[in-house]
Amino acid sequence: MEKIIVRGGRKLQGEVDISVAKNAVLPIIVATILNPTEIILKKVPMLEDVTVLINLLRELNCEVKFSPITGDLKINTSNLREIEANNELIRKMRASFLVMGPMLARFGRCKISMPGGCNIGSRPVDLHLKGFKTLGIDSEIGYGYVEAKVKNLHGNRIYLDFPSVGATENIMMTSVLASGITIIENAAEEPEIWDLARFLNSMGAKIEGAGYGRITIHGVSELKQPEPFTPIFDRIEAGTFMVAAGITNSKIAINGVNQEHLMPTIEKLKECGVYCNMDGEKMIVDGTGEKRPVDIKTMPYPGFPTDMQAQMMALLSITKGASVITETVFENRFMHVGELGRMGANIKIDGRVAIVEGVNNLTGCEVKATDLRAGAAMILAGLVANGQTEIGEIYHIDRGYTNIEDKFRKLGAEIYRTYR
Protein backbone atom coordinates (compact mmCIF):
# COMPACT_ATOMS: atom_id res chain seq x y z
CA MET A 1 0.00 0.00 0.00
CA GLU A 2 1.41 3.39 -1.01
CA LYS A 3 1.71 6.14 1.59
CA ILE A 4 3.12 9.64 1.71
CA ILE A 5 5.33 10.30 4.72
CA VAL A 6 5.83 13.88 5.95
CA ARG A 7 8.16 14.99 8.74
CA GLY A 8 7.20 18.41 9.98
CA GLY A 9 9.13 21.43 11.19
CA ARG A 10 11.02 22.55 8.08
CA LYS A 11 10.57 25.91 6.42
CA LEU A 12 10.14 26.10 2.66
CA GLN A 13 12.21 28.13 0.22
CA GLY A 14 12.84 28.35 -3.50
CA GLU A 15 10.54 28.06 -6.52
CA VAL A 16 7.85 25.61 -7.61
CA ASP A 17 6.41 25.06 -11.10
CA ILE A 18 2.65 24.64 -11.40
CA SER A 19 1.24 21.98 -13.72
CA VAL A 20 -1.55 22.31 -16.26
CA ALA A 21 -4.96 22.24 -14.58
CA LYS A 22 -6.69 18.89 -14.16
CA ASN A 23 -10.09 20.57 -14.32
CA ALA A 24 -9.13 22.22 -17.61
CA VAL A 25 -7.45 19.33 -19.39
CA LEU A 26 -10.13 16.69 -18.66
CA PRO A 27 -13.00 18.37 -20.57
CA ILE A 28 -10.58 19.35 -23.33
CA ILE A 29 -9.57 15.71 -23.78
CA VAL A 30 -13.25 14.77 -23.94
CA ALA A 31 -13.91 17.55 -26.47
CA THR A 32 -11.58 15.86 -28.98
CA ILE A 33 -14.44 13.39 -29.55
CA LEU A 34 -16.18 16.16 -31.52
CA ASN A 35 -13.41 16.37 -34.09
CA PRO A 36 -12.16 13.26 -35.97
CA THR A 37 -8.68 14.65 -36.69
CA GLU A 38 -5.32 14.42 -34.92
CA ILE A 39 -5.20 16.88 -32.02
CA ILE A 40 -2.12 17.70 -29.94
CA LEU A 41 -2.40 18.90 -26.35
CA LYS A 42 0.75 20.27 -24.70
CA LYS A 43 2.10 19.92 -21.13
CA VAL A 44 -0.59 17.44 -20.11
CA PRO A 45 -0.03 16.21 -16.52
CA MET A 46 0.00 12.43 -16.10
CA LEU A 47 -2.65 12.31 -13.40
CA GLU A 48 -4.78 9.30 -12.52
CA ASP A 49 -7.89 10.98 -13.99
CA VAL A 50 -6.02 11.74 -17.22
CA THR A 51 -4.95 8.10 -17.41
CA VAL A 52 -8.56 6.97 -17.00
CA LEU A 53 -9.71 9.15 -19.92
CA ILE A 54 -6.81 8.03 -22.11
CA ASN A 55 -7.64 4.38 -21.42
CA LEU A 56 -11.31 5.05 -22.13
CA LEU A 57 -10.52 6.60 -25.51
CA ARG A 58 -8.23 3.69 -26.36
CA GLU A 59 -10.97 1.21 -25.48
CA LEU A 60 -13.22 3.13 -27.87
CA ASN A 61 -10.74 2.51 -30.71
CA CYS A 62 -9.14 5.98 -30.65
CA GLU A 63 -5.45 6.45 -31.32
CA VAL A 64 -3.80 8.06 -28.30
CA LYS A 65 -0.08 8.69 -27.81
CA PHE A 66 1.43 10.33 -24.73
CA SER A 67 4.99 11.47 -24.08
CA PRO A 68 5.74 11.61 -20.34
CA ILE A 69 8.89 13.61 -21.13
CA THR A 70 7.28 16.50 -23.03
CA GLY A 71 3.69 16.11 -21.83
CA ASP A 72 2.48 16.01 -25.45
CA LEU A 73 -0.80 14.12 -25.83
CA LYS A 74 -1.81 13.19 -29.40
CA ILE A 75 -5.42 12.08 -29.90
CA ASN A 76 -7.16 10.91 -33.05
CA THR A 77 -10.83 9.94 -32.65
CA SER A 78 -11.56 9.27 -36.32
CA ASN A 79 -12.14 5.55 -35.61
CA LEU A 80 -14.15 6.15 -32.43
CA ARG A 81 -16.86 3.62 -31.69
CA GLU A 82 -19.85 3.96 -29.39
CA ILE A 83 -19.58 3.51 -25.62
CA GLU A 84 -20.88 0.43 -23.85
CA ALA A 85 -23.18 1.20 -20.94
CA ASN A 86 -21.29 -0.94 -18.44
CA ASN A 87 -17.86 0.53 -19.12
CA GLU A 88 -15.91 0.28 -15.87
CA LEU A 89 -13.78 3.32 -16.68
CA ILE A 90 -16.84 5.58 -16.84
CA ARG A 91 -17.68 4.70 -13.25
CA LYS A 92 -14.24 5.70 -11.99
CA MET A 93 -14.52 9.46 -12.29
CA ARG A 94 -17.08 12.24 -12.45
CA ALA A 95 -15.63 13.97 -15.52
CA SER A 96 -16.29 10.87 -17.62
CA PHE A 97 -19.96 11.87 -17.90
CA LEU A 98 -18.78 14.72 -20.12
CA VAL A 99 -18.33 12.23 -22.96
CA MET A 100 -22.10 12.08 -23.34
CA GLY A 101 -22.49 15.51 -24.94
CA PRO A 102 -19.80 15.09 -27.61
CA MET A 103 -20.99 11.53 -28.36
CA LEU A 104 -24.56 12.75 -28.85
CA ALA A 105 -23.39 15.60 -31.07
CA ARG A 106 -21.34 13.22 -33.23
CA PHE A 107 -23.47 10.04 -33.29
CA GLY A 108 -26.92 11.12 -32.15
CA ARG A 109 -27.07 8.54 -29.36
CA CYS A 110 -25.16 7.45 -26.27
CA LYS A 111 -25.64 5.01 -23.38
CA ILE A 112 -23.18 5.17 -20.50
CA SER A 113 -22.82 4.15 -16.88
CA MET A 114 -23.48 6.66 -14.12
CA PRO A 115 -20.13 8.28 -13.22
CA GLY A 116 -18.08 8.06 -10.02
CA GLY A 117 -15.41 10.24 -8.39
CA CYS A 118 -14.67 11.64 -4.93
CA ASN A 119 -17.40 11.02 -2.37
CA ILE A 120 -17.77 14.69 -1.40
CA GLY A 121 -21.50 15.00 -1.91
CA SER A 122 -24.36 14.76 -4.35
CA ARG A 123 -23.51 15.86 -7.88
CA PRO A 124 -26.57 14.83 -9.85
CA VAL A 125 -26.66 14.84 -13.63
CA ASP A 126 -30.15 16.35 -13.80
CA LEU A 127 -28.85 19.74 -14.97
CA HIS A 128 -26.99 18.02 -17.82
CA LEU A 129 -30.12 16.16 -18.87
CA LYS A 130 -32.31 19.28 -18.56
CA GLY A 131 -29.97 21.09 -20.92
CA PHE A 132 -29.90 18.14 -23.31
CA LYS A 133 -33.70 18.07 -23.43
CA THR A 134 -33.79 21.72 -24.43
CA LEU A 135 -31.49 20.85 -27.34
CA GLY A 136 -33.89 18.16 -28.54
CA ILE A 137 -32.26 15.19 -26.79
CA ASP A 138 -34.41 12.51 -25.17
CA SER A 139 -32.82 10.75 -22.20
CA GLU A 140 -33.70 8.00 -19.77
CA ILE A 141 -32.06 6.97 -16.49
CA GLY A 142 -32.01 3.22 -15.95
CA TYR A 143 -30.38 0.99 -13.36
CA GLY A 144 -26.92 2.50 -13.16
CA TYR A 145 -26.86 4.00 -16.65
CA VAL A 146 -28.10 6.94 -18.72
CA GLU A 147 -29.32 6.49 -22.29
CA ALA A 148 -29.94 9.40 -24.65
CA LYS A 149 -30.66 9.95 -28.34
CA VAL A 150 -31.47 12.82 -30.67
CA LYS A 151 -32.75 13.17 -34.23
CA ASN A 152 -32.56 16.92 -34.63
CA LEU A 153 -29.92 18.59 -32.46
CA HIS A 154 -30.90 22.24 -32.38
CA GLY A 155 -29.87 25.34 -30.47
CA ASN A 156 -32.05 26.85 -27.79
CA ARG A 157 -31.99 29.03 -24.67
CA ILE A 158 -31.04 27.09 -21.55
CA TYR A 159 -31.23 28.39 -17.98
CA LEU A 160 -29.28 26.46 -15.38
CA ASP A 161 -30.84 26.38 -11.91
CA PHE A 162 -27.28 26.27 -10.51
CA PRO A 163 -24.08 27.37 -12.29
CA SER A 164 -22.78 23.80 -12.58
CA VAL A 165 -19.34 23.50 -14.14
CA GLY A 166 -19.97 20.04 -15.58
CA ALA A 167 -23.39 20.88 -16.98
CA THR A 168 -22.06 24.09 -18.55
CA GLU A 169 -19.20 22.17 -20.19
CA ASN A 170 -21.39 19.32 -21.41
CA ILE A 171 -24.04 21.60 -22.88
CA MET A 172 -21.44 23.87 -24.46
CA MET A 173 -19.69 20.96 -26.20
CA THR A 174 -22.99 19.50 -27.41
CA SER A 175 -24.14 22.84 -28.79
CA VAL A 176 -21.03 23.36 -30.92
CA LEU A 177 -22.44 21.05 -33.64
CA ALA A 178 -26.13 21.89 -33.10
CA SER A 179 -28.05 23.87 -35.71
CA GLY A 180 -28.84 27.46 -34.77
CA ILE A 181 -27.86 29.42 -31.67
CA THR A 182 -27.64 28.15 -28.09
CA ILE A 183 -27.61 30.52 -25.12
CA ILE A 184 -26.66 29.21 -21.67
CA GLU A 185 -27.95 31.46 -18.88
CA ASN A 186 -26.55 31.29 -15.33
CA ALA A 187 -23.57 29.43 -16.75
CA ALA A 188 -20.58 28.54 -14.60
CA GLU A 189 -17.86 31.21 -14.72
CA GLU A 190 -14.78 29.19 -13.72
CA PRO A 191 -11.56 29.84 -15.71
CA GLU A 192 -11.74 26.23 -16.92
CA ILE A 193 -14.99 27.10 -18.76
CA TRP A 194 -13.21 29.91 -20.57
CA ASP A 195 -10.33 27.57 -21.42
CA LEU A 196 -12.63 24.91 -22.88
CA ALA A 197 -14.24 27.55 -25.06
CA ARG A 198 -10.78 28.73 -26.13
CA PHE A 199 -9.97 25.18 -27.24
CA LEU A 200 -13.29 24.68 -29.03
CA ASN A 201 -12.90 28.01 -30.81
CA SER A 202 -9.40 26.96 -31.93
CA MET A 203 -11.17 24.12 -33.82
CA GLY A 204 -13.62 26.50 -35.52
CA ALA A 205 -16.42 26.66 -32.96
CA LYS A 206 -18.15 30.01 -32.43
CA ILE A 207 -18.50 30.62 -28.69
CA GLU A 208 -18.86 33.99 -27.00
CA GLY A 209 -19.13 34.96 -23.35
CA ALA A 210 -17.47 31.90 -21.79
CA GLY A 211 -16.25 32.70 -18.30
CA TYR A 212 -19.25 34.91 -17.70
CA GLY A 213 -22.82 34.11 -16.73
CA ARG A 214 -24.19 34.07 -20.30
CA ILE A 215 -22.60 31.98 -23.04
CA THR A 216 -23.67 32.14 -26.70
CA ILE A 217 -22.81 29.29 -29.09
CA HIS A 218 -23.40 29.60 -32.84
CA GLY A 219 -23.58 26.05 -34.14
CA VAL A 220 -21.24 24.97 -36.94
CA SER A 221 -21.50 22.02 -39.31
CA GLU A 222 -17.96 20.74 -38.78
CA LEU A 223 -14.72 21.48 -36.97
CA LYS A 224 -11.16 21.87 -38.24
CA GLN A 225 -7.81 20.56 -37.03
CA PRO A 226 -6.42 22.98 -34.43
CA GLU A 227 -2.86 24.06 -33.72
CA PRO A 228 -1.20 22.34 -30.72
CA PHE A 229 -2.99 23.59 -27.63
CA THR A 230 -1.76 24.22 -24.07
CA PRO A 231 -4.47 24.37 -21.37
CA ILE A 232 -4.27 26.82 -18.47
CA PHE A 233 -2.24 26.12 -15.35
CA ASP A 234 -3.81 24.73 -12.20
CA ARG A 235 -5.12 27.48 -9.90
CA ILE A 236 -5.93 24.94 -7.16
CA GLU A 237 -2.41 23.49 -7.16
CA ALA A 238 -1.07 27.05 -7.05
CA GLY A 239 -3.42 27.83 -4.17
CA THR A 240 -2.22 24.72 -2.32
CA PHE A 241 1.40 25.92 -2.46
CA MET A 242 0.33 29.43 -1.46
CA VAL A 243 -1.22 27.94 1.67
CA ALA A 244 1.93 25.87 2.18
CA ALA A 245 3.97 29.07 2.45
CA GLY A 246 1.52 30.38 5.01
CA ILE A 247 1.29 27.28 7.17
CA THR A 248 5.11 26.88 7.34
CA ASN A 249 5.82 30.62 7.85
CA SER A 250 7.87 30.60 4.65
CA LYS A 251 8.50 32.70 1.56
CA ILE A 252 8.44 30.96 -1.83
CA ALA A 253 8.03 31.74 -5.53
CA ILE A 254 5.39 30.08 -7.71
CA ASN A 255 5.76 29.80 -11.50
CA GLY A 256 2.85 29.28 -13.86
CA VAL A 257 0.05 31.28 -12.30
CA ASN A 258 -2.66 33.62 -13.51
CA GLN A 259 -3.22 36.19 -10.78
CA GLU A 260 -6.75 36.97 -11.96
CA HIS A 261 -7.81 33.32 -11.64
CA LEU A 262 -6.44 33.23 -8.10
CA MET A 263 -7.95 36.45 -6.73
CA PRO A 264 -10.52 34.78 -4.39
CA THR A 265 -7.72 32.76 -2.77
CA ILE A 266 -5.25 35.67 -2.78
CA GLU A 267 -7.68 37.99 -1.02
CA LYS A 268 -8.59 35.46 1.68
CA LEU A 269 -4.92 34.65 2.32
CA LYS A 270 -4.17 38.37 2.57
CA GLU A 271 -6.91 38.69 5.18
CA CYS A 272 -5.24 35.81 7.03
CA GLY A 273 -1.79 37.45 6.89
CA VAL A 274 -0.26 35.73 3.84
CA TYR A 275 0.71 38.13 1.06
CA CYS A 276 1.00 37.31 -2.65
CA ASN A 277 2.59 39.66 -5.18
CA MET A 278 3.59 39.22 -8.81
CA ASP A 279 7.25 39.74 -9.72
CA GLY A 280 7.32 39.49 -13.48
CA GLU A 281 5.97 36.02 -14.26
CA LYS A 282 6.51 34.72 -10.72
CA MET A 283 4.19 35.00 -7.76
CA ILE A 284 6.04 35.69 -4.51
CA VAL A 285 4.16 34.31 -1.53
CA ASP A 286 5.22 35.69 1.86
CA GLY A 287 3.78 33.67 4.71
CA THR A 288 6.26 34.80 7.36
CA GLY A 289 3.94 37.24 9.15
CA GLU A 290 1.51 36.73 12.01
CA LYS A 291 -1.63 34.88 10.96
CA ARG A 292 -5.17 36.00 11.72
CA PRO A 293 -8.41 33.98 11.86
CA VAL A 294 -10.79 34.46 8.95
CA ASP A 295 -14.30 33.48 7.94
CA ILE A 296 -14.72 31.63 4.66
CA LYS A 297 -17.80 30.80 2.62
CA THR A 298 -17.28 28.62 -0.43
CA MET A 299 -19.14 29.74 -3.54
CA PRO A 300 -19.08 29.11 -7.29
CA TYR A 301 -16.42 31.18 -9.08
CA PRO A 302 -15.64 34.05 -8.64
CA GLY A 303 -16.34 33.20 -4.99
CA PHE A 304 -13.91 31.29 -2.78
CA PRO A 305 -13.37 27.84 -4.34
CA THR A 306 -14.62 24.76 -2.55
CA ASP A 307 -11.48 23.02 -3.82
CA MET A 308 -9.40 25.27 -1.50
CA GLN A 309 -11.55 24.80 1.61
CA ALA A 310 -9.68 21.82 3.09
CA GLN A 311 -6.26 23.42 2.57
CA MET A 312 -7.35 26.65 4.24
CA MET A 313 -8.80 24.66 7.14
CA ALA A 314 -5.37 23.11 7.73
CA LEU A 315 -3.84 26.61 7.92
CA LEU A 316 -6.57 27.94 10.20
CA SER A 317 -6.26 24.95 12.52
CA ILE A 318 -2.96 26.42 13.80
CA THR A 319 -4.00 30.09 13.51
CA LYS A 320 -4.74 31.68 16.88
CA GLY A 321 -8.42 32.54 17.32
CA ALA A 322 -11.69 31.22 15.94
CA SER A 323 -12.41 30.92 12.20
CA VAL A 324 -15.70 29.92 10.61
CA ILE A 325 -15.88 27.97 7.34
CA THR A 326 -19.22 27.58 5.58
CA GLU A 327 -19.38 25.01 2.77
CA THR A 328 -22.20 25.81 0.33
CA VAL A 329 -21.16 23.81 -2.74
CA PHE A 330 -20.93 20.18 -1.51
CA GLU A 331 -22.76 18.82 1.51
CA ASN A 332 -20.17 16.17 2.39
CA ARG A 333 -16.91 18.06 2.16
CA PHE A 334 -15.86 18.08 5.80
CA MET A 335 -14.55 14.50 5.88
CA HIS A 336 -11.02 15.81 6.48
CA VAL A 337 -12.13 17.34 9.80
CA GLY A 338 -11.84 13.99 11.54
CA GLU A 339 -8.34 13.45 10.14
CA LEU A 340 -7.18 16.90 11.26
CA GLY A 341 -8.72 16.14 14.64
CA ARG A 342 -6.51 13.06 14.91
CA MET A 343 -3.55 15.43 14.61
CA GLY A 344 -4.84 17.65 17.40
CA ALA A 345 -6.92 20.23 15.56
CA ASN A 346 -9.92 21.70 17.40
CA ILE A 347 -12.77 21.80 14.87
CA LYS A 348 -16.50 21.54 15.50
CA ILE A 349 -19.08 20.94 12.78
CA ASP A 350 -22.68 22.12 12.71
CA GLY A 351 -24.26 21.07 9.41
CA ARG A 352 -22.39 22.87 6.67
CA VAL A 353 -20.50 25.12 9.09
CA ALA A 354 -17.13 24.32 10.68
CA ILE A 355 -15.81 26.33 13.60
CA VAL A 356 -12.02 26.15 13.73
CA GLU A 357 -10.33 27.12 16.99
CA GLY A 358 -6.61 27.44 16.35
CA VAL A 359 -4.25 25.30 18.43
CA ASN A 360 -0.56 25.82 19.16
CA ASN A 361 0.66 22.57 17.60
CA LEU A 362 -0.39 19.60 15.52
CA THR A 363 1.05 16.15 16.09
CA GLY A 364 1.95 13.74 13.33
CA CYS A 365 0.11 10.42 13.19
CA GLU A 366 -1.50 8.03 10.70
CA VAL A 367 -4.23 9.73 8.64
CA LYS A 368 -5.88 9.16 5.28
CA ALA A 369 -6.78 11.20 2.23
CA THR A 370 -10.57 11.02 2.31
CA ASP A 371 -10.72 12.83 -1.03
CA LEU A 372 -8.43 14.72 -3.40
CA ARG A 373 -8.26 18.10 -1.63
CA ALA A 374 -8.44 16.50 1.81
CA GLY A 375 -5.24 14.68 0.87
CA ALA A 376 -3.57 18.00 0.10
CA ALA A 377 -4.73 19.30 3.48
CA MET A 378 -3.11 16.30 5.21
CA ILE A 379 0.21 17.07 3.53
CA LEU A 380 -0.02 20.72 4.58
CA ALA A 381 -0.82 19.75 8.16
CA GLY A 382 2.06 17.26 8.13
CA LEU A 383 4.50 20.00 7.09
CA VAL A 384 4.05 21.73 10.48
CA ALA A 385 3.10 18.80 12.73
CA ASN A 386 5.47 17.55 15.41
CA GLY A 387 6.94 14.23 14.36
CA GLN A 388 5.92 12.10 11.41
CA THR A 389 2.63 12.03 9.49
CA GLU A 390 1.72 8.96 7.43
CA ILE A 391 -0.97 9.60 4.82
CA GLY A 392 -2.87 6.65 3.39
CA GLU A 393 -5.29 6.25 0.47
CA ILE A 394 -3.12 8.64 -1.53
CA TYR A 395 -4.64 7.52 -4.83
CA HIS A 396 -7.03 10.42 -4.21
CA ILE A 397 -4.07 12.85 -4.20
CA ASP A 398 -2.71 11.37 -7.43
CA ARG A 399 -6.01 12.19 -9.14
CA GLY A 400 -5.20 15.90 -9.02
CA TYR A 401 -1.54 16.55 -8.20
CA THR A 402 1.48 15.64 -10.32
CA ASN A 403 4.55 14.52 -8.34
CA ILE A 404 3.45 16.58 -5.36
CA GLU A 405 6.08 15.12 -3.03
CA ASP A 406 8.85 15.93 -5.53
CA LYS A 407 7.70 19.54 -5.72
CA PHE A 408 7.62 19.88 -1.96
CA ARG A 409 11.06 18.27 -1.61
CA LYS A 410 12.50 20.85 -4.01
CA LEU A 411 11.19 23.50 -1.62
CA GLY A 412 12.97 21.85 1.30
CA ALA A 413 10.18 19.74 2.79
CA GLU A 414 10.96 16.31 4.21
CA ILE A 415 8.44 14.22 2.33
CA TYR A 416 8.56 10.96 0.43
CA ARG A 417 6.42 8.11 -0.85
CA THR A 418 6.58 4.54 0.40
CA TYR A 419 5.49 1.39 -1.42
CA ARG A 420 4.74 -1.16 1.27
Side-chain angles (χ1 to χ4, degrees), residues 78-206:
S78 58
N79 295 321
L80 176 71
R81 61 169 178 254
E82 293 182 54
I83 295 174
E84 295 180 4
N86 63 350
N87 194 296
E88 183 65 28
L89 293 169
I90 291 288
R91 293 196 292 268
K92 282 189 175 183
M93 55 181 290
R94 186 69 186 178
S96 60
F97 192 74
L98 294 177
V99 305
M100 182 158 245
M103 293 292 285
L104 285 165
R106 183 164 163 183
F107 296 109
R109 60 186 182 274
C110 184
K111 183 177 181 180
I112 66 173
S113 302
M114 292 292 284
C118 283
N119 185 26
I120 56 177
S122 175
R123 293 186 282 184
V125 298
D126 57 330
L127 291 179
H128 300 244
L129 302 183
K130 176 184 175 182
F132 288 164
K133 183 177 181 180
T134 309
L135 299 175
I137 299 168
D138 295 321
S139 58
E140 177 184 348
I141 299 179
Y143 292 101
Y145 67 86
V146 180
E147 184 174 13
K149 56 185 178 180
V150 60
K151 291 183 178 180
N152 178 27
L153 187 63
H154 57 80
N156 209 333
R157 178 185 175 276
I158 299 169
Y159 178 83
L160 295 178
D161 299 329
F162 177 83
S164 162
V165 173
T168 300
E169 292 170 340
N170 223 345
I171 295 166
M172 187 163 63
M173 288 188 288
T174 310
S175 303
V176 163
L177 295 178
S179 61
I181 299 173
T182 299
I183 297 175
I184 308 174
E185 303 276 9
N186 197 32
E189 300 181 22
E190 274 74 2
E192 294 78 16
I193 299 292
W194 167 81
D195 205 39
L196 175 59
R198 185 170 68 97
F199 173 68
L200 293 170
N201 285 341
S202 75
M203 297 193 295
K206 297 179 179 179

Side-chain angles (χ1 to χ4, degrees), residues 345-358:
N346 183 6
I347 306 169
K348 295 180 175 63
I349 300 176
D350 183 7
R352 292 198 176 198
V353 177
I355 301 172
V356 186
E357 188 71 43

Side-chain angles (χ1 to χ4, degrees), residues 14 216 279:
T216 302
D279 181 8

Side-chain angles (χ1 to χ4, degrees), residues 19-34:
S19 301
V20 160
K22 171 183 93 89
N23 290 337
V25 75
L26 294 181
I28 287 172
I29 290 173
V30 171
T32 63
I33 292 173
L34 292 166

Side-chain angles (χ1 to χ4, degrees), residues 50-322:
V50 172
T51 301
V52 170
L53 277 186
I54 287 176
N55 290 337
L56 175 61
L57 289 177
R58 284 173 174 161
E59 278 199 9
L60 299 177
N61 206 38
C62 300
E63 183 179 350
V64 184
K65 297 179 181 178
F66 178 74
S67 169
I69 298 175
T70 65
D72 286 0
L73 179 62
K74 297 181 180 180
I75 303 173
N76 191 324
T77 66
S78 58
N79 295 321
L80 176 71
R81 61 169 178 254
E82 293 182 54
I83 295 174
E84 295 180 4
N86 63 350
N87 194 296
E88 183 65 28
L89 293 169
I90 291 288
R91 293 196 292 268
K92 282 189 175 183
M93 55 181 290
R94 186 69 186 178
S96 60
F97 192 74
L98 294 177
V99 305
M100 182 158 245
M103 293 292 285
L104 285 165
R106 183 164 163 183
F107 296 109
R109 60 186 182 274
C110 184
K111 183 177 181 180
I112 66 173
S113 302
M114 292 292 284
C118 283
N119 185 26
I120 56 177
S122 175
R123 293 186 282 184
V125 298
D126 57 330
L127 291 179
H128 300 244
L129 302 183
K130 176 184 175 182
F132 288 164
K133 183 177 181 180
T134 309
L135 299 175
I137 299 168
D138 295 321
S139 58
E140 177 184 348
I141 299 179
Y143 292 101
Y145 67 86
V146 180
E147 184 174 13
K149 56 185 178 180
V150 60
K151 291 183 178 180
N152 178 27
L153 187 63
H154 57 80
N156 209 333
R157 178 185 175 276
I158 299 169
Y159 178 83
L160 295 178
D161 299 329
F162 177 83
S164 162
V165 173
T168 300
E169 292 170 340
N170 223 345
I171 295 166
M172 187 163 63
M173 288 188 288
T174 310
S175 303
V176 163
L177 295 178
S179 61
I181 299 173
T182 299
I183 297 175
I184 308 174
E185 303 276 9
N186 197 32
E189 300 181 22
E190 274 74 2
E192 294 78 16
I193 299 292
W194 167 81
D195 205 39
L196 175 59
R198 185 170 68 97
F199 173 68
L200 293 170
N201 285 341
S202 75
M203 297 193 295
K206 297 179 179 179
I207 303 172
E208 301 169 353
Y212 299 93
R214 188 175 191 266
I215 302 175
T216 302
I217 305 107
H218 296 261
V220 298
S221 58
E222 61 180 2
L223 298 172
K224 64 179 183 180
Q225 184 177 25
E227 295 294 322
F229 185 88
T230 304
I232 58 175
F233 291 99
D234 196 324
R235 61 192 171 98
I236 304 302
E237 183 187 23
T240 300
F241 280 97
M242 289 157 62
V243 174
I247 202 170
T248 59
N249 295 309
S250 304
K251 187 175 182 179
I252 65 172
I254 302 177
N255 303 315
V257 296
N258 184 314
Q259 186 176 14
E260 182 181 350
H261 295 170
L262 285 163
M263 286 310 297
T265 302
I266 289 172
E267 289 302 313
K268 193 54 66 173
L269 282 171
K270 179 180 177 181
E271 187 180 338
C272 187
V274 180
Y275 298 93
C276 309
N277 297 288
M278 295 302 295
D279 181 8
E281 296 183 353
K282 301 179 187 294
M283 174 178 284
I284 308 300
V285 186
D286 187 349
T288 59
E290 183 179 354
K291 308 305 184 299
R292 300 177 292 272
V294 297
D295 293 345
I296 294 172
K297 184 177 184 179
T298 65
M299 297 287 286
Y301 191 88
F304 188 85
T306 182
D307 279 353
M308 283 301 303
Q309 179 254 107
Q311 298 93 309
M312 283 297 296
M313 186 179 288
L315 170 60
L316 295 174
S317 70
I318 59 165
T319 298
K320 186 177 180 180

